[in-house]
């Protein structure tokens, strides 16, 4: 049996190891278009590799998987975050779970994950071919025990290379443009147009960008005119705003923002889930305790002095005013600004190396239990090539491990039956 895996990313390499563990006699080849396998894993999590999440506090799959929540709920029963934790620790990788529920290797080095997977591939005699971009997959019409598919690599000076397979696993990752999906359209598959996900928001020429480096740990941000919102830390950058809260919202609103050319208004609550009334009362108490002090010298501990001054000025207040001089309507106006600070976004900025797209091969093309293509027996899909993506926090890599495991199990069982 010959298995060709297209793509040497997280899902592809993980699937290769699992297939060989289950079916040592299988001939498994991983074909990668780039120079280096697992290139994206090497830089994810800022080079530390946030390889999964504890899922503690997750209200529902929809809150972490904006696309593919239903299928991920099913597949995680087969291979959960706990299973992924055990899988890597049994391979010698010591892991740690942070306070924010993100799981990293204790070494804080993504290359430990890369090298672990590559070493396992070598140990199980998985063949790895790089710099070969598959551009066409064709059925041969042969029986299940024979070569059923031919995969054609991009033409080079050495000619066109052809790979033959009884089983094919597609793990090519996300594509930023619909053109990257043409190979799958040629196979008669339904494609959901890919669009970027996980990006920060640009605020051209906005005064807030002068506060770059400022972080507020507990915010809530809403896309005005919609019900889409997210919470968490927010980072002010020289181009706009970023951080977990913004990245989550960009994931939830990926298609909406694309349709509106990345022009929209967001409302930031700098106090997280606190209401305007609650913040008004907090400010009144602060004013009573510090009636003789100037506004610029006393402010809520969750804000720094620079952000506080910007919010004061945009509320029509001066920093040299004394707390005791404020009328109640001034307190209310300030509380309104602190809990619903509107910002006009105009454009997006890629979030470091965490390039993620939503869209891809529509989930209706595959069996939800095995991830085998409904119309192409022996062809499986796993990872971001499918219309499944997640918010930041290790959920995308968990989806890769989970889907790769399910595909490896399904593919191995198929080979055993033949």
């Amino acid at each position: 049996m010959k298995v060709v895996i297209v793509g040497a990313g997280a899902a592809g390499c993980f699937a290769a190891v699992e297939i060989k563990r289950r079916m040592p006699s299988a001939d498994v080849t991983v074909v990668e278009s780039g120079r280096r396998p697992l290139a994206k894993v090497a830089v994810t999590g800022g080079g530390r590799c946030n390889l999964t999440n504890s899922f503690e506090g997750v209200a529902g799959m929809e809150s972490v998987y904006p696309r593919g929540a239903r299928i991920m709920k099913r597949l995680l029963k087969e291979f959960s975050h706990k299973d992924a934790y055990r899988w890597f620790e049994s391979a010698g990788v010591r892991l740690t779970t942070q306070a924010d529920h993100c799981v990293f290797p204790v070494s804080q080095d993504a290359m430990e994950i890369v090298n672990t997977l590559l070493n396992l591939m070598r140990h199980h005699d998985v063949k790895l071919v790089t710099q070969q971009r598959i551009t066409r997959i064709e059925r041969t019409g042969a029986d299940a025990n024979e070569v059923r598919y031919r995969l054609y690599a991009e033409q080079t000076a050495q000619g066109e290379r052809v790979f033959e397979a009884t089983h094919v696993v597609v793990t090519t990752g996300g594509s930023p443009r619909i053109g990257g999906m043409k190979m799958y359209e040629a196979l008669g598959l339904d494609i959901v147009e890919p669009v970027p996900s996980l990006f920060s928001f640009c605020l051209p020429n906005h005064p807030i960008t002068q506060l770059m480096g400022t972080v507020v740990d507990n915010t809530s941000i809403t896309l005005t005119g919609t019900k889409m919102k997210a919470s968490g830390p927010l980072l002010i950058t020289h181009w706009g705003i970023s951080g977990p809260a913004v990245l989550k919202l960009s994931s939830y609103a990926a298609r909406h923002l694309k349709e509106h050319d990345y022009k929209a208004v967001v409302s930031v609550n700098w106090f997280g889930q606190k209401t305007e009334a609650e913040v008004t009362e907090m400010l009144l108490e602060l004013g009573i305790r510090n009636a003789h002090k100037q506004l610029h010298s006393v402010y809520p501990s969750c804000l720094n002095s620079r952000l506080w001054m910007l919010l004061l000025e945009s509320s029509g207040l001066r920093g040299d005013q004394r707390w005791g001089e404020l009328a109640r309507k001034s307190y209310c106006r300030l509380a309104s600004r602190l809990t619903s600070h509107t910002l006009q976004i105009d454009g997006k900025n890629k979030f470091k190396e965490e390039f993620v797209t939503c869209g891809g091969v529509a989930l209706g093309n595959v069996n939800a239990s095995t991830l085998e293509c409904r119309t192409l027996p022996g062809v499986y899909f796993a990872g971001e090539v499918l219309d499944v993506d997640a918010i930041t926090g290790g959920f995308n890599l968990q989806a890769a491990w989970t889907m790769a495991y399910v595909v490896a199990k399904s593919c191995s069982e198929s080979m055993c039956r033949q």
Side-chain angles (χ1 to χ4, degrees), residues 189-216:
L189 304 180
D190 294 328
I191 305 299
V192 179
E193 182 183 3
V195 301
S197 180
L198 288 189
F199 49 84
S200 55
F201 300 156
C202 295
L203 305 171
N205 304 315
H206 196 287
I208 201 170
T209 59
Q210 298 174 19
L211 311 183
M212 59 183 177
T214 296
V215 177
V216 180

Side-chain angles (χ1 to χ4, degrees), residues 201 216-224 226-235 241-249 252 265-276 278-279 302-303 307 336-343:
F201 300 156
V216 180
D217 289 328
N218 180 27
T219 70
S220 177
I221 180 169
T222 304
L223 186 64
T224 60
T226 76
K227 294 182 179 180
M228 290 179 269
K229 64 186 301 183
S231 58
L234 186 147
L235 166 68
I241 51 176
S242 187
V246 171
L247 297 174
K248 287 180 190 177
L249 184 60
Y252 298 148
V265 176
V266 293
S267 175
V268 178
N269 183 339
W270 297 102
F271 285 79
Q273 305 303 320
K274 288 186 182 298
T275 65
E276 182 179 331
E278 289 172 332
V279 173
C302 63
L303 307 175
L307 178 56
S336 176
R337 176 50 54 98
L338 293 172
T339 56
S340 57
H341 186 191
T342 57
L343 301 170

Side-chain angles (χ1 to χ4, degrees), residues 296-403:
H296 73 82
S297 65
V298 177
Y299 48 87
S301 59
C302 63
L303 307 175
N304 66 20
S305 59
R306 295 192 301 159
L307 178 56
W308 174 244
M309 283 303 298
L310 182 144
L311 293 168
L312 279 179
E313 291 169 4
S314 63
S315 301
L317 299 174
R318 303 190 320 276
D320 60 0
Q321 288 180 269
R322 299 187 185 280
W323 278 99
E325 297 172 355
L326 296 187
R328 185 178 180 90
K329 64 179 181 181
S330 296
Y331 280 99
C332 292
R333 188 168 67 251
L334 178 57
S336 176
R337 176 50 54 98
L338 293 172
T339 56
S340 57
H341 186 191
T342 57
L343 301 170
Q344 177 73 51
I345 66 173
D346 185 3
K348 62 177 176 61
N349 194 67
K350 187 173 70 175
F351 171 59
K352 296 181 180 178
E353 300 86 3
E354 303 286 353
F355 34 87
V356 173
T357 58
C358 70
V361 175
L363 295 177
N365 293 300
V366 299
N367 181 306
S369 298
T370 64
L371 299 181
E372 182 176 18
C373 184
R374 296 182 186 277
T375 57
L376 300 168
V379 175
Y380 300 82
F381 291 87
E384 202 184 330
V385 67
L386 288 169
D387 185 21
V388 176
D389 67 286
I391 63 173
T392 187
F395 299 105
N396 279 298
L397 273 180
Q398 179 60 52
W401 315 135
T402 294
M403 287 191 274

Side-chain angles (χ1 to χ4, degrees), residues 87-108:
W87 196 96
F88 281 99
E89 287 221 314
S90 69
V93 181
R94 293 175 57 227
L95 301 176
T96 181
T97 304
Q98 298 184 163
D100 61 0
H101 312 306
C102 294
V103 177
F104 290 86
V106 169
S107 65
Q108 299 289 297

Side-chain angles (χ1 to χ4, degrees), residues 46-87:
R48 299 187 299 135
C49 193
N50 180 189
L51 81 168
T52 188
N53 192 283
S54 71
F55 280 73
E56 290 183 29
V58 172
M61 283 299 126
E62 294 82 2
S63 66
V64 292
Y65 292 104
R67 271 73 51 182
R70 182 177 298 179
I71 198 169
M72 284 307 303
K73 185 176 182 179
R74 175 196 289 258
L75 298 178
L76 282 165
K77 294 177 182 177
E78 286 282 324
F79 192 81
S80 69
H81 61 286
K82 293 179 181 178
D83 295 318
Y85 200 108
R86 285 190 289 266
W87 196 96

